[in-house]
């Protein structure tokens, strides 16, 4: 199916519904609900500087991080929208201690999908008017339909994802997602409240010239990562590369996918598992990357092959243009 530029997201969802295997319209409804929640959160993010919504909510999440008010708001909106519409059987969020099981009140409509979300990614950027995002990941449950979901439904390897995507609340707001058939990006026309297909069939350029890493942590990195960073900075061929790091994974990934680049959040001597969460951040981004001709690894191995052991698990994450990730792998292999 060839995506038509300027098609609305609503039209695109309807036209593509039949391309899903065993389609019952459930996944389409789910993407529609995410579209709606994204618009509500977008509206709130856009007025963040105007009202008393920025700043800390005075609470910490399960991982001991400060929660921003917009984190709380986005978390509530996404969970509410998906719960009220009874289109998923379970939700896990970066901001919640445990997963939520949703019982459908309609006996004929027993849902089979579970969703994992990072409701607001890059939240330290809100107070300074820099782009933030939302990341989502969808799986088919593994336990029987009609029974309460269990942890097992959420701890699936990333290659089992049926859909994943992100919203970037940037200079314009975009929803970018995949259902395993390429990646398409939709830009919100804020005057109409409608997303239009602006970036059909998005692809990472094979090779790029941007590297994104929090270089302040350099001294703590693995020697393979240090060597690769030095390689990026060397004056040779198309190098030195450009260094760009926003600190919102969604925005850094989005830029790299359009321009060609690599994103790195390695483990270090202080954060042994890295910082990014496998289920809410790395898996959905890795699925998008592979669908867009890029690569995502956690060290030696493919991110999508990791068997999760816990809900809030963190892993090292390297993702981007194919040739750049392969080059990094060569450097990592030297020390293995
Ligand atoms: P979140 O706001 O959901 O906690 O995620 C922040 C993540 C990611 O978006 C970003 O790339 C990274 O943390 C930034 O971490 P550092 O500040 O350590 O570089
Ligand atoms: Mn995040
Ligand atoms: Mn977050």
């Amino acid at each position: 199916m060839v995506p038509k530029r300027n098609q609305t997201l609503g039209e695109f969802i309807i036209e593509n519904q039949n391309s899903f295997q065993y389609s019952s319209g459930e996944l389409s409804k789910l993407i529609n609900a995410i579209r709606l929640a994204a618009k509500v959160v977008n509206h709130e993010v856009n007025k963040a500087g105007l009202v008393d919504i920025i700043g800390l909510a005075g609470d910490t999440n399960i991982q001991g991080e400060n929660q921003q008010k917009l984190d709380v708001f986005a978390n509530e909106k996404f969970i509410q929208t998906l719960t009220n519409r009874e289109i998923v059987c379970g939700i896990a969020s970066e901001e919640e201690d445990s997963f939520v099981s949703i019982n459908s009140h309609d006996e004929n409509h027993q849902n089979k999908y579970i969703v994992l979300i990072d409701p607001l990614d890059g939240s330290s950027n809100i107070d300074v008017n820099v782009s933030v995002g939302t990341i989502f990941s969808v799986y088919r449950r593994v336990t029987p339909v009609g029974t309460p979901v269990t942890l097992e439904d959420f701890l699936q390897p990333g290659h089992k994802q049926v859909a994943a995507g992100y919203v970037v609340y940037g200079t314009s707001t975009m929803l970018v997602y995949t259902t395993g058939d390429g990646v398409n990006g939709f830009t919100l026309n804020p005057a109409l409240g409608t997303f239009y297909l602006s970036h059909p069939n998005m692809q990472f350029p094979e090779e790029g010239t941007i590297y994104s890493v929090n270089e302040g942590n350099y001294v703590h990195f693995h020697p393979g990562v240090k060597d690769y960073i030095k390689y990026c900075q060397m004056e040779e061929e198309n190098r030195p590369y450009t260094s760009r790091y926003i600190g919102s994974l969604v925005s850094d990934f989005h830029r790299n996918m359009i321009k060609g680049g690599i994103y790195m959040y390695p483990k270090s001597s202080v954060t042994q598992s890295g910082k990014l969460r496998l289920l809410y951040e790395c898996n959905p981004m890795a699925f998008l990357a592979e669908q867009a001709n890029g690569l995502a690894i956690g060290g030696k191995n493919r991110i999508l092959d990791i068997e999760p052991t816990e809900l809030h698990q963190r892993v090292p994450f390297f993702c981007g243009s194919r040739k750049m990730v392969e080059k990094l792998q060569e450097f990592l292999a030297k020390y293995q």
Side-chain angles (χ1 to χ4, degrees), residues 56-97:
L56 302 180
D59 210 351
T60 51
N61 66 12
I62 178 76
Q63 291 145 77
E65 295 156 337
N66 287 325
Q67 272 186 316
Q68 302 280 330
K69 283 182 187 171
L70 268 174
D71 272 345
V72 180
F73 180 86
N75 187 44
E76 276 171 16
K77 282 301 154 205
F78 275 92
I79 292 182
Q80 242 173 39
T81 311
L82 294 168
T83 309
N84 292 349
R85 289 160 178 252
E86 298 193 354
I87 41 182
V88 291
C89 53
I91 305 171
S93 162
E94 181 195 273
E95 298 298 333
E96 300 283 336
D97 300 3

Side-chain angles (χ1 to χ4, degrees), residues 61 63 65-66 68 71 94-95 118-126 131-133 135 213-217 245-253 263-265 271 275-277 280-281 314 317:
N61 66 12
Q63 291 145 77
E65 295 156 337
N66 287 325
Q68 302 280 330
D71 272 345
E94 181 195 273
E95 298 298 333
D118 176 355
L120 208 82
D121 172 67
S123 45
S124 66
N125 279 324
I126 298 165
S131 300
V132 290
I135 309 174
V213 62
N214 185 341
E215 241 168 304
N217 297 326
Y245 188 73
I246 296 168
S248 296
L249 169 64
V250 165
S251 313
D252 281 309
F253 178 99
Y263 177 93
M264 299 182 272
Y265 211 108
T271 52
K275 177 185 184 189
L276 300 183
R277 296 84 171 170
Y280 313 108
E281 293 169 319
R314 297 172 192 259
F317 185 63

